[in-house]
Amino acid sequence: MSKMKIATVWLDGCSGCHMSMFDMDEKLIDILEKVDLVYSPLVDAKEFPEGVDVTVIEGGVGSEEDKHMLELIRARTHMLVSYGDCAVTGNVPSLRNRFSVDDLIKRSYIENVSAHGDGGGNVPGDAVPRLLPVERPLHEVVRVDVFIPGCPPRPGLTYFMLKELLEGRMPDLKEKTRFGL
Amino acid sequence: MNESARIVTFKMDGREIGAREDETILQVATDNGIFIPTLCYLEGLSAMGGCRLCMVEVKETSKLVPSCVTYAREGMEVITNSERLAKYRIMLLELFFAERNHICAICVANGRCELQNLTVNLGMTHVHFPYFYPRVPVDASHERFVLDHNRCILCTRCVRVCAEIEGAHTLDVMTRGMDSRIITDLNQAWGSSVTCTRCGKCVNVCPTGALSEKGKAVADIAVKKQFLPYLTRMRRGKQ
Ligand code: SF4
Ligand code: SF4
Ligand code: SF4
């Protein structure tokens, strides 16, 4: 039997969810023996491949690039996992949703910068993806198969989830994790 | 409680149960070890049937009834848990989350919040409704307490404890529907309230992180709700 193709993706999050995945320590070896990690912040693959079995996504949808990536991932993934509160609820990045994007940019790149005496006024241009009006959880943009709340989800839980998926079962995460954590 | 109340017998989840006619379905269920979720109900305060989480099925009607304000009646048949109820309860939880900005990871009540706990107990995994993201204020003008409207679910436990137990009636609710807000006195900053006795009862009964004590680390916060039934009993002159 060919190995299962797994991807992990970092959208609008703090990378804490990825850190938590690594925290499963030696269990990582157990998992990595059974899968092919075809795309991840840890893997030098430039383009998201076709035919991925499981994609675990950290972070919400905050920019046009996030949205584009997510739609591409969905089209190329069999099982999509919304991983961590940012992906599931919007969480910390969604704190910005009460303000307009213009006000945010002004605050971050003009007012706050000039307050520190280095001039400010350098609003990023074409090289940076444009922010969407609001940060949104993944399932508001594409269909999601598995939800794992937690900020971040506990390492043991990630192991449990991947094991279940590897063995062809839908992981039952009830009472195993919660929002906030 | 009325001393001369009659005893009624009825069925709850298929069990034959005897109860006093002045007991609510919620009280009877709790006494019999049956869990019915609630957020606005708190023993010792008047029941208001506001959060709707405690709804149960009653055989003679297709409507769901709030068990905290429905009394036991002779021969009635009550179901406290069914697929239909579970579905509606999760939907209600989701609506609470969609209506304000509950970001558990950065909340003072993270880990000891009744709303957050219910998501685990009732199996809510995500919110199906679009979030509303209202722009609501935080009132930190009081020297000891903070009111963060982002976390408020309008259960009015704070309003009731302040009026019914403390007797100050500093807190109240202003406007209607999604615009409803908890206010202090005549919608003025809490810090300028002349009626607030600074007793902290409201903070202790709040089920979420909407009311908190200033200057405490999250881990140090302990809420004390046990004082309520005790105070109510003492006032009735019964120990
Ligand atoms: S859920 Fe928490 S740990 Fe994960 S990306 Fe968001 S803020 Fe970071
Ligand atoms: S501290 Fe006491 S008096 Fe003041 S609002 Fe809260 S319950 Fe009322
Ligand atoms: S402040 Fe707390 S106790 Fe008062 S209505 Fe809001 S959630 Fe309920």
Side-chain angles (χ1 to χ4, degrees):
Chain A
M1 203 179 82
S2 64
K3 283 186 173 181
M4 206 180 230
K5 286 188 192 163
I6 302 257
T8 76
V9 176
W10 176 9
L11 297 181
D12 199 358
C14 76
S15 94
C17 285
H18 269 88
M19 295 299 152
S20 181
M21 285 185 218
F22 302 145
D23 268 352
M24 64 173 113
D25 303 330
E26 72 280 359
K27 290 203 174 87
L28 254 186
I29 300 168
D30 183 23
I31 293 286
L32 286 173
E33 275 170 357
K34 300 185 178 78
V35 304
D36 268 336
L37 189 62
V38 292
Y39 185 93
S40 167
L42 310 167
V43 174
D44 192 21
K46 300 288 179 244
E47 207 191 322
F48 194 88
E50 303 264 4
V52 178
D53 295 301
V54 178
T55 301
V56 181
I57 305 183
E58 162 194 325
V61 189
S63 68
E64 283 175 2
E65 171 65 9
D66 292 340
K67 185 165 178 286
H68 165 76
M69 261 308 276
L70 183 60
E71 280 162 355
L72 183 80
I73 293 163
R74 177 70 273 185
R76 297 180 174 183
T77 304
H78 176 60
M79 188 72 93
L80 197 144
V81 183
S82 188
Y83 187 74
D85 279 356
C86 292
V88 177
T89 73
N91 202 27
V92 178
S94 75
L95 280 169
R96 76 161 167 97
N97 291 357
R98 280 157 272 168
F99 310 95
S100 76
V101 170
D102 282 350
D103 283 352
L104 274 174
I105 300 277
K106 207 165 128 220
R107 184 82 186 140
S108 316
Y109 291 97
I110 301 174
E111 293 169 4
N112 270 357
V113 179
S114 52
H116 290 95
D118 40 7
N122 292 320
V123 176
D126 297 340
V128 181
R130 211 163 3 164
L131 288 180
L132 294 169
V134 287
E135 150 93 22
R136 294 159 79 196
L138 305 186
H139 65 270
E140 285 192 15
V141 180
V142 297
R143 182 174 54 80
V144 166
D145 302 297
V146 183
F147 292 88
I148 308 200
C151 178
R154 293 202 176 98
L157 191 74
T158 314
Y159 179 71
F160 168 80
M161 169 196 75
L162 289 173
K163 275 286 256 206
E164 290 290 286
L165 289 175
L166 277 169
E167 282 160 28
R169 281 187 299 269
M170 191 65 171
D172 179 6
L173 299 155
K174 200 162 169 247
E175 308 222 348
K176 289 198 171 59
T177 185
R178 60 159 66 203
F179 300 98
L181 213 69
Chain B
M1 202 183 275
N2 175 359
E3 289 304 322
S4 59
R6 281 187 307 137
I7 300 294
V8 291
T9 52
F10 67 105
K11 267 195 180 151
M12 191 180 274
D13 296 340
R15 271 161 66 183
E16 287 287 350
I17 292 209
R20 299 163 55 96
E21 64 178 351
D22 61 353
E23 282 185 292
T24 63
I25 294 173
L26 179 64
Q27 283 164 337
V28 179
T30 309
D31 290 347
N32 283 278
I34 295 171
F35 171 71
I36 298 179
T38 65
L39 281 169
C40 71
Y41 178 80
L42 197 59
E43 194 188 340
L45 298 181
S46 61
M48 52 109 64
C51 75
R52 271 2 211 192
L53 277 167
C54 76
M55 286 188 307
V56 293
E57 291 181 12
V58 173
K59 197 126 188 224
E60 8 348 339
T61 163
S62 59
K63 280 190 202 146
L64 302 176
V65 301
S67 61
C68 69
V69 288
T70 307
Y71 291 88
R73 273 199 324 275
E74 183 64 38
M76 84 196 301
E77 281 184 47
V78 179
I79 294 168
T80 67
N81 219 327
S82 65
E83 256 179 50
R84 178 173 169 225
L85 288 170
K87 192 181 92 191
Y88 283 131
R89 284 172 185 161
I90 289 181
M91 209 184 264
L92 284 167
L93 285 185
E94 290 181 14
L95 286 167
F96 283 121
F97 278 91
E99 203 175 271
R100 297 273 169 118
N101 307 298
H102 296 272
I103 299 176
C104 300
I106 54 156
C107 178
V108 287
N110 187 12
R112 55 161 195 89
C113 166
E114 292 179 37
L115 179 65
Q116 186 192 33
N117 287 343
L118 280 181
T119 64
V120 182
N121 295 344
L122 304 184
M124 178 195 127
T125 60
H126 64 291
V127 174
H128 292 81
F129 306 101
Y131 287 87
F132 193 68
Y133 307 121
R135 203 159 165 183
V136 290
V138 176
D139 183 351
S141 59
H142 196 285
E143 64 177 317
R144 285 184 51 201
F145 313 122
V146 182
L147 167 54
D148 182 351
H149 291 279
N150 291 291
R151 324 284 189 196
C152 178
I153 56 166
L154 295 165
C155 68
T156 74
R157 282 187 188 183
C158 56
V159 175
R160 285 173 285 150
V161 81
C162 186
E164 296 168 13
I165 306 291
E166 179 61 7
H169 209 144
T170 302
L171 302 166
D172 219 319
V173 186
M174 181 181 78
T175 77
R176 298 176 72 83
M178 278 190 44
D179 295 328
S180 304
R181 298 280 182 269
I182 295 296
I183 51 163
T184 39
D185 291 340
L186 296 168
N187 191 24
Q188 67 202 55
W190 196 358
S192 69
S193 166
V194 289
T195 59
C196 175
T197 64
R198 307 160 72 239
C199 69
K201 290 189 174 69
C202 51
V203 177
N204 277 296
V205 299
C206 181
T208 69
L211 287 167
S212 61
E213 203 159 332
K214 276 186 181 170
K216 278 210 174 158
V218 175
D220 297 337
I221 296 174
V223 282
K224 308 180 208 85
K225 286 189 202 89
Q226 320 77 285
F227 71 92
L228 262 182
Y230 173 73
L231 276 181
T232 338
R233 268 202 309 274
M234 291 300 277
R235 285 190 183 189
R236 283 200 210 103
K238 279 183 235 151
Q239 183 55 5

